Amino acid sequence: MGRKKQSRVTLQEVAKHAGVSRATASLVVRGSPNISKETREKVLKSIKELGYIYDRVAANLRSHQSSTVGLIITEIGNPFFSELLVGVHEALDKEGYTVILGTTFDSPDKQDALLATMLEYRVGGVIMSPVPGSSPDMVERLKQWGIPVILVARKMLSEEPFDYVGIDNVAGGRIAAEHLIEQGHRRIAFLGGFSNSSVWTDRKKGFCEAIEQAGLEMDESLFVQSPATRQGGIEAIKRVMQHPQPPTGVFCYNDVVASGVMLGLKEQGIVPGKDVAVVGFDNIPESAVFSPSLTTIAAFPDRLGAKAADLLHRRMKGDEEEAKKLILQPELVVRESS
Amino acid sequence: MGRKKQSRVTLQEVAKHAGVSRATASLVVRGSPNISKETREKVLKSIKELGYIYDRVAANLRSHQSSTVGLIITEIGNPFFSELLVGVHEALDKEGYTVILGTTFDSPDKQDALLATMLEYRVGGVIMSPVPGSSPDMVERLKQWGIPVILVARKMLSEEPFDYVGIDNVAGGRIAAEHLIEQGHRRIAFLGGFSNSSVWTDRKKGFCEAIEQAGLEMDESLFVQSPATRQGGIEAIKRVMQHPQPPTGVFCYNDVVASGVMLGLKEQGIVPGKDVAVVGFDNIPESAVFSPSLTTIAAFPDRLGAKAADLLHRRMKGDEEEAKKLILQPELVVRESS
DNA sequence: CTTTACATTTAAAACGTTGTCAATTTGTTT
DNA sequence: AAACAAATTGACAACGTTTTAAATGTAAAG
């Protein structure tokens, strides 16, 4: 069954085996151009024969570089974030980075702990979706150590001078409301999410703008906050339907909430898409298969992720320009639910 | 705006500031018991004052330990795997490990490359869902270096002596078929996935066992392989419904395929759950919101992940017992689609 | 007042690599 | 043959920790 725990072969041993100096061997593994083809092959052969494994940890320690980046998201459960993760991961992969993953589950403490861990691991940069209401201190600290941080999908509480990649949530909210108004709805609810997140306030802002512009009355009882989960959606729709004048259209904080909303409607014998129009946000892949299929605002999480990764890459390469804000435009996707 | 790129404070500097030796400072940061309370506090104070950051990379290099583990999955897009990821991640987090993530996208080469990378990063262990048909050489190699590897959800081609955590796919296939037979279906299709994966062959095996036991005929044209994606499901159901004697019940390789199958049925004006019964596999959260809601075989990916993480933790702690196989039992979840 | 024992603390070597740079070898051109 | 360029070397000092074995200080025991 092979021996146990053979100890690592070092570059030193490779060099000796190939009959060259350690310096030369080092240049070979790093692909230096001024090494003759001959010696390069000699060394590569020895590497293969001895089963040498490059020690990136030692190399990074010595060279003050880092080929790892930290990725911090709030919940992997939400397909929006898994798509985001795919986008980031794929783009970073292409550039040869290795990803250290962290999940905050919306806890500020956990977020700080994660950032601290990433610091301890000497990551070269961080892409994160911040917890609503968390303080920018820790991010500031990373930047002070020269570690670039890209915020994605969510901003921090205040308008901090950080790089940010996201979508235009105000526009998204407006588009959603305009669509429902165009469909003839006069009483429209906004369900799910919490007002402490920048995403929520932005979407609400756009929503309200469209409502006002159409000259509709703004009824505070049509705004129901709840966790951005399926269960949260179920509860929110139940609450709002008890209103003496229930809405005929609802705009949901995101698609997961929308799935709960539609479930809740069905439970009460109300047919979503017919009796009540439902519009979601994010356009997660599943929303096409819901029934009725969900009208939603596409937020392109994978593109967001890829853009964030590109930006981070540029920063790590030494781009020192001032903070960039990349705002993608969302798009309305009309389906059966409205 | 603070200075740029302050260089890291080292333990050396902390020691000097606290008036102790570097060794003592090191013992303090590691929480050694035989350090007097006095000096401990002195050092901790200096750490705080100087803003010292522990360098785990350097520490791991020296101590030959590793607090990172590699996690390799095939596709983050499938909710089954995101749930798995959640389970693994949460459990490892609790034990203080940091996760390095990799995705193979079902490419054996990518898988080998990822394993090589993890080796280079000196991970302490690996949890992976292997690419179907990939060779166990690389895994063997890791184990030779004393790095434990846990296979999860998928086995390697042959019955290798590796630790494995998965569910009983044969039982799952049988349960699904039995359920459909019990509902009165005589012609049942098995759609999606490819025969090169152990998961597929196992599910098919159980499926066939039940068919035979019920004395039904086995029609090869009712087995349609396709990518395990929504699109794959759409194509598979279209193909099989062209059959002169189309099935009245279908068992899908997984829930994602099932979602495609139901979509494909609707496109043809056939009502899933009424005209044709559909059963999925995995019980991804979304399957409850499909319409009709999907009858499926629950595979508990999060539990799988947690178990795998626990097992890995034990291995990393030095548990040298021979390869363990942990097989969880799947459960039938009946909903509207059957 | 010395010895023994014990708890703390320490100096120096190690981990596996890269950076530096002057010195050497080899190959090519004038 | 000399002059030049290109490729390779050797030696040593980093990088920021942990490890080892040895040294210190102090209190209890003789």
mmCIF file of all heavy atoms in Angstrom, chain A residues 187-192 207 219-226 232-252 257 260-262 264-265 268 270 276-278:
data_model
loop_
_atom_site.group_PDB
_atom_site.id
_atom_site.type_symbol
_atom_site.label_atom_id
_atom_site.label_comp_id
_atom_site.label_asym_id
_atom_site.label_seq_id
_atom_site.Cartn_x
_atom_site.Cartn_y
_atom_site.Cartn_z
ATOM 1 N N ARG A 187 -52.911 48.993 -6.405
ATOM 2 C CA ARG A 187 -52.393 48.755 -5.044
ATOM 3 C C ARG A 187 -51.291 47.699 -5.134
ATOM 4 O O ARG A 187 -51.549 46.531 -5.434
ATOM 5 C CB ARG A 187 -53.520 48.269 -4.119
ATOM 6 C CG ARG A 187 -54.514 49.377 -3.740
ATOM 7 C CD ARG A 187 -55.509 48.894 -2.697
ATOM 8 N NE ARG A 187 -54.912 48.554 -1.420
ATOM 9 C CZ ARG A 187 -54.484 49.466 -0.528
ATOM 10 N NH1 ARG A 187 -54.575 50.744 -0.786
ATOM 11 N NH2 ARG A 187 -53.959 49.068 0.615
ATOM 12 N N ILE A 188 -50.087 48.171 -4.868
ATOM 13 C CA ILE A 188 -48.929 47.300 -5.034
ATOM 14 C C ILE A 188 -48.128 47.225 -3.738
ATOM 15 O O ILE A 188 -47.818 48.263 -3.130
ATOM 16 C CB ILE A 188 -48.020 47.818 -6.158
ATOM 17 C CG1 ILE A 188 -48.850 48.015 -7.441
ATOM 18 C CG2 ILE A 188 -46.875 46.869 -6.409
ATOM 19 C CD1 ILE A 188 -48.085 48.649 -8.571
ATOM 20 N N ALA A 189 -47.824 46.018 -3.324
ATOM 21 C CA ALA A 189 -47.078 45.834 -2.070
ATOM 22 C C ALA A 189 -45.592 45.611 -2.361
ATOM 23 O O ALA A 189 -45.215 45.213 -3.461
ATOM 24 C CB ALA A 189 -47.634 44.634 -1.308
ATOM 25 N N PHE A 190 -44.785 45.895 -1.370
ATOM 26 C CA PHE A 190 -43.344 45.599 -1.462
ATOM 27 C C PHE A 190 -43.009 44.706 -0.280
ATOM 28 O O PHE A 190 -43.050 45.130 0.876
ATOM 29 C CB PHE A 190 -42.537 46.891 -1.430
ATOM 30 C CG PHE A 190 -41.045 46.664 -1.465
ATOM 31 C CD1 PHE A 190 -40.475 45.721 -2.314
ATOM 32 C CD2 PHE A 190 -40.205 47.404 -0.654
ATOM 33 C CE1 PHE A 190 -39.101 45.516 -2.349
ATOM 34 C CE2 PHE A 190 -38.823 47.205 -0.681
ATOM 35 C CZ PHE A 190 -38.282 46.262 -1.530
ATOM 36 N N LEU A 191 -42.670 43.453 -0.556
ATOM 37 C CA LEU A 191 -42.544 42.462 0.519
ATOM 38 C C LEU A 191 -41.140 41.889 0.672
ATOM 39 O O LEU A 191 -40.462 41.611 -0.321
ATOM 40 C CB LEU A 191 -43.507 41.300 0.248
ATOM 41 C CG LEU A 191 -44.975 41.650 0.027
ATOM 42 C CD1 LEU A 191 -45.792 40.371 -0.161
ATOM 43 C CD2 LEU A 191 -45.512 42.462 1.185
ATOM 44 N N GLY A 192 -40.759 41.681 1.927
ATOM 45 C CA GLY A 192 -39.523 40.967 2.221
ATOM 46 C C GLY A 192 -38.315 41.864 2.373
ATOM 47 O O GLY A 192 -38.315 43.016 1.953
ATOM 48 N N PHE A 207 -38.928 51.952 -6.338
ATOM 49 C CA PHE A 207 -40.328 51.538 -6.273
ATOM 50 C C PHE A 207 -41.223 52.744 -5.985
ATOM 51 O O PHE A 207 -42.203 53.011 -6.699
ATOM 52 C CB PHE A 207 -40.456 50.471 -5.187
ATOM 53 C CG PHE A 207 -41.846 49.955 -4.963
ATOM 54 C CD1 PHE A 207 -42.386 48.998 -5.809
ATOM 55 C CD2 PHE A 207 -42.599 50.419 -3.892
ATOM 56 C CE1 PHE A 207 -43.668 48.509 -5.593
ATOM 57 C CE2 PHE A 207 -43.874 49.934 -3.669
ATOM 58 C CZ PHE A 207 -44.413 48.980 -4.516
ATOM 59 N N ASP A 219 -49.364 53.571 0.537
ATOM 60 C CA ASP A 219 -49.928 53.036 1.776
ATOM 61 C C ASP A 219 -48.846 52.271 2.538
ATOM 62 O O ASP A 219 -48.354 51.239 2.079
ATOM 63 C CB ASP A 219 -51.095 52.107 1.425
ATOM 64 C CG ASP A 219 -51.830 51.643 2.673
ATOM 65 O OD1 ASP A 219 -51.254 51.757 3.787
ATOM 66 O OD2 ASP A 219 -52.968 51.179 2.539
ATOM 67 N N GLU A 220 -48.482 52.793 3.684
ATOM 68 C CA GLU A 220 -47.392 52.203 4.468
ATOM 69 C C GLU A 220 -47.632 50.738 4.826
ATOM 70 O O GLU A 220 -46.705 49.968 5.005
ATOM 71 C CB GLU A 220 -47.152 53.015 5.753
ATOM 72 C CG GLU A 220 -46.211 54.199 5.561
ATOM 73 C CD GLU A 220 -44.850 53.794 5.019
ATOM 74 O OE1 GLU A 220 -44.348 52.727 5.421
ATOM 75 O OE2 GLU A 220 -44.298 54.526 4.181
ATOM 76 N N SER A 221 -48.908 50.382 4.929
ATOM 77 C CA SER A 221 -49.191 48.992 5.332
ATOM 78 C C SER A 221 -48.923 48.013 4.191
ATOM 79 O O SER A 221 -49.016 46.810 4.363
ATOM 80 C CB SER A 221 -50.648 48.864 5.787
ATOM 81 O OG SER A 221 -51.512 49.186 4.723
ATOM 82 N N LEU A 222 -48.580 48.550 3.038
ATOM 83 C CA LEU A 222 -48.244 47.664 1.914
ATOM 84 C C LEU A 222 -46.751 47.331 1.883
ATOM 85 O O LEU A 222 -46.294 46.629 0.996
ATOM 86 C CB LEU A 222 -48.671 48.306 0.589
ATOM 87 C CG LEU A 222 -50.201 48.404 0.383
ATOM 88 C CD1 LEU A 222 -50.508 49.085 -0.936
ATOM 89 C CD2 LEU A 222 -50.822 47.014 0.418
ATOM 90 N N PHE A 223 -46.020 47.869 2.844
ATOM 91 C CA PHE A 223 -44.605 47.530 2.951
ATOM 92 C C PHE A 223 -44.423 46.587 4.120
ATOM 93 O O PHE A 223 -44.594 46.983 5.262
ATOM 94 C CB PHE A 223 -43.766 48.789 3.176
ATOM 95 C CG PHE A 223 -43.806 49.735 2.010
ATOM 96 C CD1 PHE A 223 -44.880 50.596 1.825
ATOM 97 C CD2 PHE A 223 -42.765 49.752 1.085
ATOM 98 C CE1 PHE A 223 -44.915 51.458 0.741
ATOM 99 C CE2 PHE A 223 -42.804 50.619 0.005
ATOM 100 C CZ PHE A 223 -43.875 51.473 -0.178
ATOM 101 N N VAL A 224 -44.107 45.371 3.838
ATOM 102 C CA VAL A 224 -43.916 44.406 4.922
ATOM 103 C C VAL A 224 -42.497 43.865 4.875
ATOM 104 O O VAL A 224 -42.087 43.264 3.881
ATOM 105 C CB VAL A 224 -44.908 43.231 4.815
ATOM 106 C CG1 VAL A 224 -44.673 42.246 5.950
ATOM 107 C CG2 VAL A 224 -46.339 43.745 4.839
ATOM 108 N N GLN A 225 -41.762 44.090 5.959
ATOM 109 C CA GLN A 225 -40.405 43.556 6.026
ATOM 110 C C GLN A 225 -40.446 42.148 6.600
ATOM 111 O O GLN A 225 -41.292 41.819 7.432
ATOM 112 C CB GLN A 225 -39.530 44.454 6.897
ATOM 113 C CG GLN A 225 -39.345 45.834 6.287
ATOM 114 C CD GLN A 225 -38.403 46.694 7.108
ATOM 115 O OE1 GLN A 225 -37.457 46.202 7.705
ATOM 116 N NE2 GLN A 225 -38.665 48.002 7.122
ATOM 117 N N SER A 226 -39.538 41.336 6.157
ATOM 118 C CA SER A 226 -39.444 39.957 6.666
ATOM 119 C C SER A 226 -38.094 39.413 6.239
ATOM 120 O O SER A 226 -37.449 39.980 5.351
ATOM 121 C CB SER A 226 -40.561 39.103 6.077
ATOM 122 O OG SER A 226 -40.270 38.768 4.741
ATOM 123 N N GLY A 232 -40.035 33.708 4.997
ATOM 124 C CA GLY A 232 -40.301 35.130 5.157
ATOM 125 C C GLY A 232 -41.348 35.607 4.154
ATOM 126 O O GLY A 232 -42.238 36.404 4.485
ATOM 127 N N GLY A 233 -41.248 35.095 2.929
ATOM 128 C CA GLY A 233 -42.203 35.463 1.896
ATOM 129 C C GLY A 233 -43.607 34.981 2.232
ATOM 130 O O GLY A 233 -44.596 35.703 2.064
ATOM 131 N N ILE A 234 -43.687 33.753 2.720
ATOM 132 C CA ILE A 234 -44.990 33.186 3.086
ATOM 133 C C ILE A 234 -45.676 34.054 4.139
ATOM 134 O O ILE A 234 -46.845 34.421 4.025
ATOM 135 C CB ILE A 234 -44.821 31.749 3.626
ATOM 136 C CG1 ILE A 234 -44.302 30.833 2.515
ATOM 137 C CG2 ILE A 234 -46.145 31.217 4.183
ATOM 138 C CD1 ILE A 234 -44.076 29.401 2.943
ATOM 139 N N GLU A 235 -44.886 34.420 5.152
ATOM 140 C CA GLU A 235 -45.465 35.213 6.236
ATOM 141 C C GLU A 235 -45.868 36.611 5.769
ATOM 142 O O GLU A 235 -46.936 37.115 6.124
ATOM 143 C CB GLU A 235 -44.466 35.320 7.395
ATOM 144 C CG GLU A 235 -44.458 34.058 8.243
ATOM 145 C CD GLU A 235 -43.155 33.870 8.994
ATOM 146 O OE1 GLU A 235 -42.422 34.863 9.169
ATOM 147 O OE2 GLU A 235 -42.879 32.709 9.390
ATOM 148 N N ALA A 236 -45.010 37.201 4.958
ATOM 149 C CA ALA A 236 -45.281 38.561 4.511
ATOM 150 C C ALA A 236 -46.570 38.627 3.688
ATOM 151 O O ALA A 236 -47.409 39.518 3.887
ATOM 152 C CB ALA A 236 -44.096 39.090 3.698
ATOM 153 N N ILE A 237 -46.736 37.690 2.792
ATOM 154 C CA ILE A 237 -47.924 37.753 1.936
ATOM 155 C C ILE A 237 -49.182 37.487 2.747
ATOM 156 O O ILE A 237 -50.230 38.109 2.531
ATOM 157 C CB ILE A 237 -47.826 36.762 0.746
ATOM 158 C CG1 ILE A 237 -48.963 37.003 -0.246
ATOM 159 C CG2 ILE A 237 -47.865 35.325 1.209
ATOM 160 C CD1 ILE A 237 -48.857 38.297 -0.996
ATOM 161 N N LYS A 238 -49.074 36.599 3.745
ATOM 162 C CA LYS A 238 -50.238 36.329 4.584
ATOM 163 C C LYS A 238 -50.657 37.577 5.332
ATOM 164 O O LYS A 238 -51.833 37.916 5.421
ATOM 165 C CB LYS A 238 -49.934 35.197 5.567
ATOM 166 C CG LYS A 238 -49.918 33.848 4.858
ATOM 167 C CD LYS A 238 -50.066 32.670 5.787
ATOM 168 C CE LYS A 238 -50.206 31.396 4.962
ATOM 169 N NZ LYS A 238 -49.710 30.203 5.667
ATOM 170 N N ARG A 239 -49.647 38.258 5.843
ATOM 171 C CA ARG A 239 -49.939 39.470 6.597
ATOM 172 C C ARG A 239 -50.626 40.499 5.708
ATOM 173 O O ARG A 239 -51.672 41.056 6.048
ATOM 174 C CB ARG A 239 -48.634 40.051 7.153
ATOM 175 C CG ARG A 239 -48.806 41.282 8.008
ATOM 176 C CD ARG A 239 -48.283 41.079 9.419
ATOM 177 N NE ARG A 239 -46.989 40.440 9.424
ATOM 178 C CZ ARG A 239 -45.827 41.107 9.451
ATOM 179 N NH1 ARG A 239 -45.834 42.430 9.492
ATOM 180 N NH2 ARG A 239 -44.688 40.469 9.474
ATOM 181 N N VAL A 240 -50.068 40.726 4.543
ATOM 182 C CA VAL A 240 -50.562 41.807 3.718
ATOM 183 C C VAL A 240 -51.929 41.481 3.102
ATOM 184 O O VAL A 240 -52.725 42.376 2.804
ATOM 185 C CB VAL A 240 -49.525 42.196 2.645
ATOM 186 C CG1 VAL A 240 -49.596 41.245 1.456
ATOM 187 C CG2 VAL A 240 -49.720 43.625 2.191
ATOM 188 N N MET A 241 -52.229 40.208 2.955
ATOM 189 C CA MET A 241 -53.515 39.844 2.361
ATOM 190 C C MET A 241 -54.666 39.983 3.358
ATOM 191 O O MET A 241 -55.834 39.915 2.991
ATOM 192 C CB MET A 241 -53.476 38.428 1.795
ATOM 193 C CG MET A 241 -52.582 38.254 0.565
ATOM 194 S SD MET A 241 -52.864 39.444 -0.767
ATOM 195 C CE MET A 241 -54.356 38.778 -1.508
ATOM 196 N N GLN A 242 -54.294 40.124 4.630
ATOM 197 C CA GLN A 242 -55.339 40.324 5.638
ATOM 198 C C GLN A 242 -55.844 41.755 5.643
ATOM 199 O O GLN A 242 -56.858 42.077 6.262
ATOM 200 C CB GLN A 242 -54.801 39.981 7.032
ATOM 201 C CG GLN A 242 -54.678 38.473 7.265
ATOM 202 C CD GLN A 242 -53.920 38.174 8.530
ATOM 203 O OE1 GLN A 242 -53.394 39.086 9.184
ATOM 204 N NE2 GLN A 242 -53.844 36.904 8.891
ATOM 205 N N HIS A 243 -55.133 42.593 4.966
ATOM 206 C CA HIS A 243 -55.507 44.000 4.876
ATOM 207 C C HIS A 243 -56.924 44.101 4.273
ATOM 208 O O HIS A 243 -57.273 43.331 3.383
ATOM 209 C CB HIS A 243 -54.493 44.712 3.971
ATOM 210 C CG HIS A 243 -54.530 46.203 4.086
ATOM 211 N ND1 HIS A 243 -55.392 46.977 3.352
ATOM 212 C CD2 HIS A 243 -53.796 47.067 4.829
ATOM 213 C CE1 HIS A 243 -55.186 48.249 3.645
ATOM 214 N NE2 HIS A 243 -54.219 48.339 4.541
ATOM 215 N N PRO A 244 -57.725 45.052 4.776
ATOM 216 C CA PRO A 244 -59.074 45.222 4.212
ATOM 217 C C PRO A 244 -59.039 45.440 2.703
ATOM 218 O O PRO A 244 -59.885 44.937 1.973
ATOM 219 C CB PRO A 244 -59.602 46.459 4.938
ATOM 220 C CG PRO A 244 -58.474 47.045 5.710
ATOM 221 C CD PRO A 244 -57.507 45.944 5.930
ATOM 222 N N GLN A 245 -58.052 46.183 2.252
ATOM 223 C CA GLN A 245 -57.888 46.374 0.815
ATOM 224 C C GLN A 245 -56.586 45.734 0.369
ATOM 225 O O GLN A 245 -55.553 46.394 0.268
ATOM 226 C CB GLN A 245 -57.824 47.868 0.499
ATOM 227 C CG GLN A 245 -59.162 48.559 0.426
ATOM 228 C CD GLN A 245 -58.994 49.949 -0.162
ATOM 229 O OE1 GLN A 245 -58.375 50.812 0.456
ATOM 230 N NE2 GLN A 245 -59.519 50.158 -1.359
ATOM 231 N N PRO A 246 -56.593 44.443 0.108
ATOM 232 C CA PRO A 246 -55.335 43.764 -0.234
ATOM 233 C C PRO A 246 -54.815 44.226 -1.583
ATOM 234 O O PRO A 246 -55.575 44.710 -2.419
ATOM 235 C CB PRO A 246 -55.735 42.287 -0.272
ATOM 236 C CG PRO A 246 -57.187 42.281 -0.557
ATOM 237 C CD PRO A 246 -57.736 43.527 0.051
ATOM 238 N N PRO A 247 -53.495 44.089 -1.778
ATOM 239 C CA PRO A 247 -52.901 44.510 -3.048
ATOM 240 C C PRO A 247 -53.291 43.543 -4.174
ATOM 241 O O PRO A 247 -53.639 42.395 -3.920
ATOM 242 C CB PRO A 247 -51.402 44.415 -2.776
ATOM 243 C CG PRO A 247 -51.277 43.369 -1.714
ATOM 244 C CD PRO A 247 -52.495 43.514 -0.856
ATOM 245 N N THR A 248 -53.209 44.031 -5.390
ATOM 246 C CA THR A 248 -53.443 43.158 -6.543
ATOM 247 C C THR A 248 -52.127 42.819 -7.225
ATOM 248 O O THR A 248 -52.084 41.987 -8.117
ATOM 249 C CB THR A 248 -54.356 43.838 -7.557
ATOM 250 O OG1 THR A 248 -53.702 45.020 -8.053
ATOM 251 C CG2 THR A 248 -55.676 44.222 -6.920
ATOM 252 N N GLY A 249 -51.075 43.513 -6.791
ATOM 253 C CA GLY A 249 -49.755 43.217 -7.331
ATOM 254 C C GLY A 249 -48.733 43.301 -6.218
ATOM 255 O O GLY A 249 -48.864 44.119 -5.304
ATOM 256 N N VAL A 250 -47.722 42.421 -6.231
ATOM 257 C CA VAL A 250 -46.675 42.521 -5.214
ATOM 258 C C VAL A 250 -45.301 42.473 -5.875
ATOM 259 O O VAL A 250 -45.074 41.728 -6.826
ATOM 260 C CB VAL A 250 -46.762 41.404 -4.148
ATOM 261 C CG1 VAL A 250 -48.151 41.332 -3.555
ATOM 262 C CG2 VAL A 250 -46.369 40.060 -4.712
ATOM 263 N N PHE A 251 -44.439 43.303 -5.336
ATOM 264 C CA PHE A 251 -43.038 43.323 -5.759
ATOM 265 C C PHE A 251 -42.242 42.743 -4.604
ATOM 266 O O PHE A 251 -42.359 43.200 -3.470
ATOM 267 C CB PHE A 251 -42.619 44.763 -6.051
ATOM 268 C CG PHE A 251 -41.143 44.944 -6.262
ATOM 269 C CD1 PHE A 251 -40.408 44.035 -7.036
ATOM 270 C CD2 PHE A 251 -40.477 46.030 -5.713
ATOM 271 C CE1 PHE A 251 -39.044 44.217 -7.233
ATOM 272 C CE2 PHE A 251 -39.114 46.213 -5.916
ATOM 273 C CZ PHE A 251 -38.398 45.298 -6.672
ATOM 274 N N CYS A 252 -41.482 41.705 -4.883
ATOM 275 C CA CYS A 252 -40.769 41.018 -3.805
ATOM 276 C C CYS A 252 -39.298 41.403 -3.779
ATOM 277 O O CYS A 252 -38.697 41.616 -4.830
ATOM 278 C CB CYS A 252 -40.875 39.512 -3.975
ATOM 279 S SG CYS A 252 -42.576 38.954 -4.070
ATOM 280 N N VAL A 257 -37.893 35.189 -1.847
ATOM 281 C CA VAL A 257 -39.097 35.694 -1.190
ATOM 282 C C VAL A 257 -40.312 35.469 -2.101
ATOM 283 O O VAL A 257 -41.368 35.019 -1.649
ATOM 284 C CB VAL A 257 -38.959 37.200 -0.873
ATOM 285 C CG1 VAL A 257 -40.299 37.789 -0.438
ATOM 286 C CG2 VAL A 257 -37.910 37.428 0.204
ATOM 287 N N GLY A 260 -41.771 32.130 -1.915
ATOM 288 C CA GLY A 260 -42.591 31.972 -0.715
ATOM 289 C C GLY A 260 -43.938 32.665 -0.871
ATOM 290 O O GLY A 260 -44.973 32.137 -0.467
ATOM 291 N N VAL A 261 -43.905 33.828 -1.460
ATOM 292 C CA VAL A 261 -45.137 34.595 -1.663
ATOM 293 C C VAL A 261 -46.130 33.787 -2.503
ATOM 294 O O VAL A 261 -47.306 33.670 -2.173
ATOM 295 C CB VAL A 261 -44.822 35.940 -2.338
ATOM 296 C CG1 VAL A 261 -46.081 36.566 -2.921
ATOM 297 C CG2 VAL A 261 -44.173 36.892 -1.339
ATOM 298 N N MET A 262 -45.636 33.194 -3.576
ATOM 299 C CA MET A 262 -46.531 32.435 -4.443
ATOM 300 C C MET A 262 -47.068 31.204 -3.723
ATOM 301 O O MET A 262 -48.241 30.831 -3.866
ATOM 302 C CB MET A 262 -45.804 32.043 -5.729
ATOM 303 C CG MET A 262 -45.351 33.277 -6.515
ATOM 304 S SD MET A 262 -45.265 33.054 -8.295
ATOM 305 C CE MET A 262 -43.915 31.929 -8.420
ATOM 306 N N GLY A 264 -47.500 31.003 -0.504
ATOM 307 C CA GLY A 264 -48.475 31.506 0.454
ATOM 308 C C GLY A 264 -49.807 31.826 -0.206
ATOM 309 O O GLY A 264 -50.878 31.558 0.352
ATOM 310 N N LEU A 265 -49.736 32.397 -1.393
ATOM 311 C CA LEU A 265 -50.963 32.721 -2.118
ATOM 312 C C LEU A 265 -51.745 31.446 -2.423
ATOM 313 O O LEU A 265 -52.950 31.356 -2.178
ATOM 314 C CB LEU A 265 -50.627 33.460 -3.412
ATOM 315 C CG LEU A 265 -50.191 34.928 -3.266
ATOM 316 C CD1 LEU A 265 -49.702 35.481 -4.593
ATOM 317 C CD2 LEU A 265 -51.343 35.777 -2.716
ATOM 318 N N GLN A 268 -53.741 29.965 0.223
ATOM 319 C CA GLN A 268 -54.995 30.669 0.531
ATOM 320 C C GLN A 268 -55.982 30.596 -0.624
ATOM 321 O O GLN A 268 -56.973 31.312 -0.659
ATOM 322 C CB GLN A 268 -54.701 32.142 0.833
ATOM 323 C CG GLN A 268 -53.775 32.346 2.025
ATOM 324 C CD GLN A 268 -53.474 33.814 2.230
ATOM 325 O OE1 GLN A 268 -54.368 34.645 2.300
ATOM 326 N NE2 GLN A 268 -52.200 34.133 2.324
ATOM 327 N N ILE A 270 -55.513 31.547 -3.629
ATOM 328 C CA ILE A 270 -55.392 32.663 -4.557
ATOM 329 C C ILE A 270 -54.391 32.257 -5.643
ATOM 330 O O ILE A 270 -53.344 31.683 -5.338
ATOM 331 C CB ILE A 270 -54.884 33.915 -3.828
ATOM 332 C CG1 ILE A 270 -55.842 34.245 -2.674
ATOM 333 C CG2 ILE A 270 -54.748 35.088 -4.784
ATOM 334 C CD1 ILE A 270 -55.295 35.273 -1.716
ATOM 335 N N VAL A 276 -53.442 37.686 -8.338
ATOM 336 C CA VAL A 276 -52.445 38.637 -7.843
ATOM 337 C C VAL A 276 -51.171 38.505 -8.674
ATOM 338 O O VAL A 276 -50.674 37.388 -8.885
ATOM 339 C CB VAL A 276 -52.118 38.365 -6.358
ATOM 340 C CG1 VAL A 276 -50.929 39.222 -5.909
ATOM 341 C CG2 VAL A 276 -53.332 38.646 -5.477
ATOM 342 N N ALA A 277 -50.665 39.615 -9.147
ATOM 343 C CA ALA A 277 -49.423 39.593 -9.922
ATOM 344 C C ALA A 277 -48.216 39.605 -8.986
ATOM 345 O O ALA A 277 -48.226 40.295 -7.971
ATOM 346 C CB ALA A 277 -49.372 40.788 -10.856
ATOM 347 N N VAL A 278 -47.208 38.847 -9.353
ATOM 348 C CA VAL A 278 -46.012 38.777 -8.523
ATOM 349 C C VAL A 278 -44.772 39.075 -9.365
ATOM 350 O O VAL A 278 -44.606 38.528 -10.456
ATOM 351 C CB VAL A 278 -45.873 37.379 -7.887
ATOM 352 C CG1 VAL A 278 -44.602 37.309 -7.034
ATOM 353 C CG2 VAL A 278 -47.094 37.034 -7.055
#
